[in-house]
Amino acid sequence: MIKIENIQLNGCIDAVSSKSMAHRYLICSALSDFSSSLYIPNISDDIKMTINCLKKLGADIKIDGRILKVIPINIDKLKKINEVLKFDMGESGTTFRFMLPVITSLLDRCEFAGRGRLPQRPIKELVDILKKSGCLISSDKLPFKITNKFRFNNVDIRGDISSQYISGLLLCAPMQNEDVRIDIISKLESKPYVDMTIDVMKKYGIEIVQEKKSYFISKNNKYTNKGISNIIQKIEGDWSNVAFFFSCRSNRKQTDRNKRT
């Protein structure tokens, strides 16, 4: 028999590092021109997938306790690689949707694979955009091979499917070497996540002009962290994880009130 007693919850906990924030900082750091130091006390499997992809592209990411030292990708060296690089997305949908446009903006040939339910998760809209730009894709779902570099200057995308598609396009926009305009053709869901992408990119020198339903990135924008390279960027905690405890506290108070009445 297992007996569970109802006791008052108390104590202190640390917020788990925000995966959403960590993905963005890692990518911007790897695409920048100077090394970065990121404070990420909790490295999830999803974050490990993004780290592995960036390492495959040539970034040097070293973990020293809770600090990640990111030495950027050498773009010139990457251009000289003759082999077809293979990227494992694991089961991370965020890694896949962010890294797909980023990787294809850097490489003429590459392969993508994933595990678990990832091959069944939606990606069609982003794949269609790559195809329209001239990318040749061997399949509509993982695993697949892609030939031809992703190049675009104006793209229409729905905003009510996944904000990660938009964030992925924003992250690769500075690598297009021309002005980029991203038009949202439906209601933008999860806008705060797109705003998060814009805020992190701004710290790395990218200015994004927001209009009512579009984003504009000038071709003069290049990733740079020259002004913050000596500052440890702390990835904030994801306090949504404490919702369960607040809920328990709220339910307990309601129960106590019911008893008094």
Side-chain angles (χ1 to χ4, degrees):
M1 175 184 294
I2 299 176
K3 183 178 180 180
I4 302 175
E5 296 184 358
N6 186 11
I7 63 173
Q8 181 69 42
L9 295 175
N10 61 78
C12 298
I13 60 172
D14 292 327
V16 176
S17 301
S18 169
K19 292 192 296 182
S20 299
M21 188 77 75
H23 283 293
R24 291 162 170 82
Y25 266 98
L26 281 163
I27 294 170
C28 289
S29 296
L31 295 173
S32 195
D33 52 358
F34 292 87
S35 61
S36 302
S37 295
L38 309 177
Y39 177 80
I40 310 179
N42 310 104
I43 301 177
S44 66
D45 288 342
D46 282 10
I47 296 304
K48 289 178 182 177
M49 290 299 104
T50 294
I51 289 174
N52 290 341
C53 287
L54 295 172
K55 282 185 173 181
K56 181 78 74 170
L57 287 168
D60 187 6
I61 303 176
K62 299 177 180 178
I63 302 176
D64 183 8
R66 297 184 174 188
I67 305 295
L68 273 69
K69 184 80 169 182
V70 183
I71 299 176
I73 298 165
N74 186 324
I75 304 296
D76 291 332
K77 185 176 179 180
L78 192 63
K79 291 177 181 178
K80 298 177 182 178
I81 294 178
N82 293 321
E83 64 178 305
V84 178
L85 298 183
K86 300 178 181 180
F87 297 87
D88 181 9
M89 304 289 111
E91 298 184 49
S92 176
T94 305
T95 298
F96 188 27
R97 290 165 180 165
F98 284 1
M99 293 306 301
L100 177 59
V102 169
I103 291 170
T104 52
S105 294
L106 293 170
L107 298 174
D108 290 307
R109 297 178 299 159
C110 47
E111 295 184 14
F112 292 84
R115 301 189 297 272
R117 296 181 58 191
L118 186 60
Q120 282 71 50
R121 295 182 66 176
I123 196 71
K124 183 179 184 301
E125 285 71 19
L126 197 51
V127 168
D128 286 346
I129 289 173
L130 265 67
K131 286 181 176 179
K132 288 179 182 178
S133 79
C135 291
L136 302 178
I137 305 177
S138 62
S139 174
D140 288 334
K141 65 179 183 178
L142 293 174
F144 54 60
K145 301 177 182 180
I146 299 182
T147 306
N148 294 338
K149 197 170 288 184
F150 179 37
R151 286 289 177 259
F152 72 99
N153 57 6
N154 194 309
V155 65
D156 296 336
I157 187 168
R158 290 174 58 185
D160 57 353
I161 300 175
S162 174
S163 64
Q164 292 178 350
Y165 296 158
I166 300 168
S167 288
L169 292 171
L170 287 170
L171 287 166
C172 76
M175 294 178 284
Q176 299 304 315
N177 298 320
E178 56 183 320
D179 294 343
V180 169
R181 184 183 183 90
I182 301 171
D183 292 313
I184 313 302
I185 58 174
S186 64
K187 181 180 179 181
L188 176 56
E189 303 289 351
S190 303
K191 185 177 183 296
Y193 284 101
V194 177
D195 292 340
M196 181 190 297
T197 304
I198 293 171
D199 288 343
V200 175
M201 291 178 68
K202 186 175 182 179
K203 290 185 177 181
Y204 286 82
I206 306 300
E207 293 294 335
I208 299 175
V209 179
Q210 301 182 56
E211 298 178 0
K212 187 175 181 180
K213 298 192 73 173
S214 66
Y215 299 95
F216 177 81
I217 305 94
S218 167
K219 64 180 179 181
N220 296 320
N221 278 274
K222 301 296 179 185
Y223 282 103
T224 178
N225 62 333
K226 184 176 182 180
I228 60 173
S229 60
N230 295 322
I231 301 173
I232 297 176
Q233 301 296 319
K234 183 177 181 180
I235 306 303
E236 66 184 43
D238 183 357
W239 289 101
S240 65
N241 294 284
V242 82
F244 169 78
F245 299 101
F246 278 125
S247 177
C248 290
R249 180 182 175 87
S250 177
N251 289 338
R252 184 182 178 86
K253 287 183 176 180
Q254 184 61 50
T255 300
D256 292 342
R257 284 196 293 269
N258 292 339
K259 286 180 179 179
R260 289 195 295 270
T261 58

